Amino acid sequence: MTRETVGKKGGLYCYLITPFDAQGDVDHAVLERYTDEIITGGADGVTCIASTTEGVYLTQAERFAVVKTVCDTTAGRVPVNVAIGDISTRQVMNWAENAQKAGASTMMLEMQTHLPDIRFTDVVQHYHDIAVNVDVPIRLYNIPRTTRYDMTPQMIAELAAVDGIDSVKDATGDPHRVRDIRALTGDRFALYTGLHFVARESYRYGAIGWEAAYHPLFTKDMVALHRLLRAGDPAGAALYKKMEPLFVFFRHYGVPQCIRAMSAWSDLNLGQPRPPLPRLTDLQSEQLKSLMKQSGYI
């Protein structure tokens, strides 16, 4: 796949939760198995070390090792999208260079901020400087809840001038953003939704991809739901209704915490969150377990 076509294909990308062992270290054996099961289950791509995959909680050495494990395990079967976001352009280039060497198919870049002085001209320069120094496409990622920087549809339309960006992932929680980006940019970008609870509306407004964390316990339904929603098949509404209580639970109690908790009821345990990210309380865990049973996932 060329620079111009990787992200443009759309599809279902699984955010691979980074597995931790009992000592809190990255468990690469579990990561290999997790990656393989997600791919054989029908995912169109995998994503690592991004927001929900807890990349910010990893050391540099751990990040590099996770990217290598995922790329090696994937072995070209599906695209690997590697998150490269950080505060400075210099640090982003460090992540980007490593991802490219490891075999990343695409790179996902959000606009992280620390001080409130970043101007939009600085944002454009930031994306331009990364794009001209890498050979794979960039997926622009808008997740203002964590970055404290909102890439509005108008801003994204202006960033269309950066040739290296081929897709946009919206994680604002507002599906109308997909509609507005499509209206302002036409077919310039492939649009991905990033949150479970707005997936149905996002596809209706023009998304052709979905990038979200999930566990092999419910891979079959995630793959089926993506395909039905992308095709505009009415059967997608019934499947979404079945899964919606789970998606709402994710929204309120945290996706990585929920995926990790449910993994304990499987033979692919992803471990506990790395502190200070909290684990689910006993009550929340029991509520999640009840939802999983009701849906037939455990």
Side-chain angles (χ1 to χ4, degrees), residues 124-140:
V124 174
Q125 190 65 49
H126 180 67
Y127 275 85
H128 171 78
D129 289 346
I130 304 303
V132 298
N133 283 287
V134 297
D135 297 325
V136 299
I138 291 172
R139 181 166 302 157
L140 188 157

Side-chain angles (χ1 to χ4, degrees), residues 26-85:
V26 177
D27 192 325
H28 287 272
V30 173
L31 180 58
E32 289 174 4
R33 184 179 160 206
Y34 182 22
T35 304
D36 188 66
E37 288 193 18
I38 288 296
I39 294 170
T40 57
D44 299 302
V46 293
T47 300
C48 62
I49 58 171
S51 54
T52 304
T53 66
E54 300 170 70
V56 296
Y57 294 93
L58 304 179
T59 66
Q60 175 172 295
E62 288 174 328
R63 284 182 66 145
F64 287 178
V66 166
V67 173
K68 185 178 188 306
T69 293
V70 172
C71 288
D72 288 351
T73 305
T74 301
R77 289 178 289 171
V78 298
V80 178
N81 188 29
V82 178
I84 58 171

Side-chain angles (χ1 to χ4, degrees), residues 1-284:
M1 289 177 284
T2 67
R3 179 183 174 114
E4 292 76 19
T5 62
V6 176
K8 286 278 193 176
K9 293 172 69 69
L12 175 67
Y13 279 65
C14 178
Y15 259 41
L16 299 169
I17 302 296
T18 305
F20 296 129
D21 62 21
Q23 289 71 45
D25 297 320
V26 177
D27 192 325
H28 287 272
V30 173
L31 180 58
E32 289 174 4
R33 184 179 160 206
Y34 182 22
T35 304
D36 188 66
E37 288 193 18
I38 288 296
I39 294 170
T40 57
D44 299 302
V46 293
T47 300
C48 62
I49 58 171
S51 54
T52 304
T53 66
E54 300 170 70
V56 296
Y57 294 93
L58 304 179
T59 66
Q60 175 172 295
E62 288 174 328
R63 284 182 66 145
F64 287 178
V66 166
V67 173
K68 185 178 188 306
T69 293
V70 172
C71 288
D72 288 351
T73 305
T74 301
R77 289 178 289 171
V78 298
V80 178
N81 188 29
V82 178
I84 58 171
D86 213 311
I87 298 296
S88 73
T89 303
R90 178 185 288 262
Q91 187 58 62
V92 171
M93 276 306 311
N94 183 38
W95 303 136
E97 289 170 0
N98 173 75
Q100 186 160 286
K101 289 176 183 177
S105 311
T106 59
M107 299 181 190
M108 186 159 65
L109 180 56
E110 72 274 23
M111 191 60 225
Q112 293 188 18
T113 59
H114 176 66
L115 298 174
D117 308 320
I118 305 297
R119 303 163 300 183
F120 183 58
T121 53
D122 301 315
V123 172
V124 174
Q125 190 65 49
H126 180 67
Y127 275 85
H128 171 78
D129 289 346
I130 304 303
V132 298
N133 283 287
V134 297
D135 297 325
V136 299
I138 291 172
R139 181 166 302 157
L140 188 157
Y141 182 21
N142 189 34
I143 181 168
R145 179 182 176 185
T146 59
T147 63
R148 300 296 185 264
Y149 195 95
D150 188 8
M151 305 282 268
T152 67
Q154 294 93 333
M155 291 177 176
I156 291 172
E158 291 192 44
L159 280 161
V162 180
D163 291 337
I165 304 172
D166 75 343
S167 54
V168 172
K169 176 184 175 182
D170 180 79
T172 62
D174 179 4
H176 297 97
R177 289 293 189 96
V178 173
R179 177 200 63 192
D180 293 353
I181 295 167
R182 175 69 70 210
L184 294 176
T185 64
D187 295 329
R188 170 64 180 83
F189 301 117
L191 302 183
Y192 290 72
T193 184
L195 298 170
H196 300 78
F197 65 92
V198 294
R200 180 175 54 180
E201 293 83 359
S202 296
Y203 278 99
R204 184 156 54 90
Y205 286 129
I208 63 169
W210 185 7
E211 199 160 21
Y214 57 93
H215 189 275
L217 285 168
F218 61 106
T219 287
K220 181 178 178 181
D221 276 357
M222 284 291 290
V223 172
L225 183 58
H226 154 68
R227 292 175 180 171
L228 291 169
L229 293 177
R230 180 167 179 173
D233 191 319
L239 182 53
Y240 189 86
K241 185 176 181 180
K242 169 191 172 182
M243 304 183 77
E244 189 171 28
L246 192 61
F247 296 164
V248 172
F249 196 90
F250 290 170
R251 178 185 185 183
H252 288 284
Y253 297 112
V255 176
Q257 297 97 311
C258 290
I259 301 297
R260 289 185 184 281
M262 69 175 62
S263 76
W265 310 317
S266 75
D267 62 355
L268 187 69
N269 195 325
L270 302 175
Q272 297 295 339
R274 181 169 280 183
L277 191 66
R279 64 181 68 184
L280 295 187
T281 66
D282 290 344
L283 176 59
Q284 292 164 355

